[in-house]
C-alpha cells in the first residue's frame, strides 16, 4: 500500500522556473500549429487531386521520416545540446510548411514529408516532446511531476483546440470571400510554417538550465543502446505496448475524423473547426483531471480505468444515426480519452535514470509515431472502399487489448512517489 502526496496544479505551476514557463509557451505555439494544420491537411491533399491511398502514403512518409530524424535527435540531445536539437526540429517544421504550401508535385511532397516535421493527427511529432519532458522533469520534484505534465498537456490541448477552430473559420472566411478551397487551405499550410519561425525564436531564449545537469554523468556510449543503459528492459516492454496503442490511434486521427464527418454528413470547414475545438478542449480538461485521479489510485491504474470507457465510446461513434449524436459521442470520448497521456509520460520519466530521460521519451515517442504512420494506409484503404466505420471499430478494439495488457504487465512496477509504505 502506498500513500501519495497531493500537489495542486496551481502549486506545480507556481513552482515552474523561467525555462519551465517558456517550455509551456513553446508547447502551446507548437500544438496550436499542429491543430491549425491537421484540420485541413487531408482536405488540402484531396484538393490537389490525390486519392485516398496516395494521401495515406504521404501521411505515412511524413511520420516515418519523423521517426528516423526524431530518434537520432533525441538520442544525441543530452550530449550535443537540447536547445540545439529543438532548433533543428523547428527548422524542419518551417521547411515542411513552406514547401507543402508552394508545390503540388507528388515527388516533392513525399520528399518533404520524409524530411520535414508535419503532424497529420494534431498530436506531437518531432523531437520536441521528449526533450522538453526531460528538461521539465529534472527541475521538478517527483510529487510535482504528474500535475506538471497534466498542465503541460492541458495547455497543449487548449492550443490545439484554438488552432483547429481558427483554421476552420479562416478557411471558411477565405472561401466566402471568393477564394477557392485549394487556395484557402494553402494559406493555412503556409501559416503552419510561419508558426515554426515563432517557435524557433522562442527556443533561442532557453537557458543552460535545460541541458543535462553538470553533476549527472552520462553512461559510456559503449554501454548504452539507443541512449539507454539500466532501463532498456522496461522501456522495450513499454514501447511494444505503446506501439499497439498508437497504431490503433492512427486509424482515427483528427485529419481522418474530419474527412469522415465531411464525407458521411457533409459537414463544412467552419463546423469541423468547432467540432475539434470541442474535442481538444475536453481532452485538455481530461488531462488535468488525470493528475488528481493518479494522486489517489496511481499512474497505471489511472491509465487503465480511464482509457477503457473512452475506447468503448470510440467504437460507438460510427454507430450513431445522426451527425449530432456522433459529435456528442466523440466529445464524450475525448472528455476522458487523454487522461492516460500525462500519466503515461510521467510514468516513463519516473522509471528511468536522469541521463536516460531524453532517450527514453524519444524512443517511446518515435515508436508511437511510426506505429501511427503504419495505420494511415490501412484507413486509406477502408476509405477508398467506402468502409468508413471500420477504422473506428478496429481502433477501439485494439486499444482495449492495449489497456488490459498494460495493467497486467506494469501494475506491480511503481514510480518513486508510489513506493512510500504506510506504517
Amino acid at each position: 500500500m502506498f500513500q501519495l502526496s497531493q500537489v495542486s496544479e496551481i502549486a506545480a505551476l507556481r513552482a515552474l522556473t523561467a525555462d519551465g514557463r517558456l517550455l509551456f509557451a513553446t508547447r502551446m505555439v507548437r500544438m496550436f500549429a499542429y491543430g491549425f494544420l491537421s484540420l485541413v491537411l487531408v482536405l488540402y491533399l484531396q484538393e490537389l487531386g490525390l486519392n485516398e491511398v496516395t494521401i495515406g502514403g504521404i501521411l505515412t512518409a511524413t511520420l516515418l521520416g519523423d521517426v528516423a530524424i526524431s530518434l537520432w535527435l533525441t538520442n544525441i540531445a543530452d550530449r550535443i545540446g537540447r536547445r540545439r536539437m529543438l532548433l533543428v526540429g523547428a527548422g524542419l517544421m518551417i521547411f515542411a510548411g513552406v514547401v507543402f504550401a508552394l508545390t503540388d508535385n507528388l515527388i516533392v511532397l513525399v520528399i518533404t514529408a520524409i524530411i520535414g516535421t508535419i503532424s497529420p493527427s494534431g498530436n506531437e511529432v518531432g523531437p520536441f516532446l521528449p526533450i522538453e519532458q526531460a528538461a521539465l522533469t529534472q527541475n521538478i520534484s517527483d510529487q510535482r511531476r504528474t500535475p506538471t505534465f497534466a498542465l503541460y498537456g492541458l495547455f497543449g490541448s487548449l492550443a490545439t483546440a484554438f488552432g483547429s477552430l481558427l483554421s476552420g473559420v479562416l478557411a471558411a472566411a477565405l472561401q466566402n470571400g471568393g477564394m477557392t478551397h485549394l487556395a484557402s487551405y494553402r494559406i493555412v499550410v503556409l501559416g503552419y510554417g510561419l508558426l515554426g519561425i515563432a517557435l524557433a525564436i522562442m527556443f533561442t531564449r532557453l537557458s543552460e538550465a535545460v541541458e543535462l545537469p553538470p553533476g549527472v554523468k552520462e553512461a559510456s556510449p559503449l554501454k548504452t543502446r539507443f541512449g539507454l543503459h539500466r532501463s532498456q528492459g522496461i522501456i522495450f516492454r513499454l514501447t511494444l505496448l505503446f506501439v499497439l496503442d498508437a497504431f490503433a490511434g492512427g486509424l482515427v486521427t483528427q485529419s481522418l475524423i474530419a474527412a469522415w464527418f465531411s464525407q458521411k454528413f457533409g459537414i463544412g470547414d467552419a463546423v469541423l473547426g468547432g467540432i475539434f475545438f470541442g474535442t481538444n478542449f475536453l481532452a485538455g480538461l481530461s488531462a488535468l483531471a488525470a493528475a488528481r485521479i493518479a494522486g489517489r489510485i496511481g499512474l497505471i491504474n489511472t491509465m487503465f480505468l480511464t482509457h477503457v470507457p473512452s475506447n468503448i465510446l470510440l467504437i460507438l461513434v460510427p454507430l450513431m444515426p445522426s451527425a449530432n449524436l456522433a459529435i456528442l459521442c466523440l466529445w464524450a470520448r475525448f472528455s476522458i480519452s487523454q487522461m492516460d497521456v500525462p500519466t503515461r509520460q510521467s510514468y516513463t520519466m519516473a522509471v528511468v535514470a536522469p541521463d536516460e530521460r531524453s532517450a527514453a521519451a524519444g524512443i517511446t515517442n518515435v515508436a508511437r509515431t511510426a506505429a501511427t504512420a503504419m495505420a494511415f494506409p490501412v484507413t486509406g484503404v477502408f476509405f477508398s472502399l467506402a468502409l468508413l466505420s471500420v477504422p473506428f471499430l478496429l481502433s477501439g478494439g485494439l486499444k482495449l487489448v492495449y489497456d488490459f495488457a498494460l495493467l497486467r504487465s506494469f501494475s506491480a512496477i511503481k514510480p518513486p512517489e508510489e513506493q512510500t509504505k504506510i506504517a
Side-chain angles (χ1 to χ4, degrees), residues 307-373:
H307 217 224
V308 168
S310 79
N311 294 325
I312 294 173
L313 286 166
L314 177 62
I315 292 172
L316 293 176
V317 169
L319 305 180
M320 295 296 104
S322 69
N324 287 339
L325 288 175
I327 291 168
L328 288 174
C329 197
L330 186 70
W331 281 352
R333 189 253 173 173
F334 273 90
S335 70
I336 55 175
S337 68
Q338 297 302 296
M339 289 187 184
D340 75 310
V341 175
T343 47
R344 182 185 71 229
Q345 295 167 348
S346 180
Y347 186 82
T348 303
M349 291 292 95
V351 296
V352 300
D355 63 325
E356 296 178 294
R357 285 172 179 156
S358 290
I363 290 168
T364 55
N365 195 54
V366 300
R368 291 181 63 86
T369 301
T372 301

Side-chain angles (χ1 to χ4, degrees), residues 84-101:
R84 291 176 180 175
M85 296 305 100
L86 290 171
L87 283 170
V88 170
L92 295 175
M93 182 175 166
I94 297 166
F95 167 75
V98 172
V99 175
F100 255 65

Side-chain angles (χ1 to χ4, degrees), residues 234 237 300 347 351 409-415 418-419:
I234 191 170
R237 291 158 56 201
I300 293 294
Y347 186 82
V351 296
S409 299
F410 290 96
S411 60
I413 302 176
K414 307 296 185 183
E418 296 180 20
Q419 294 176 8

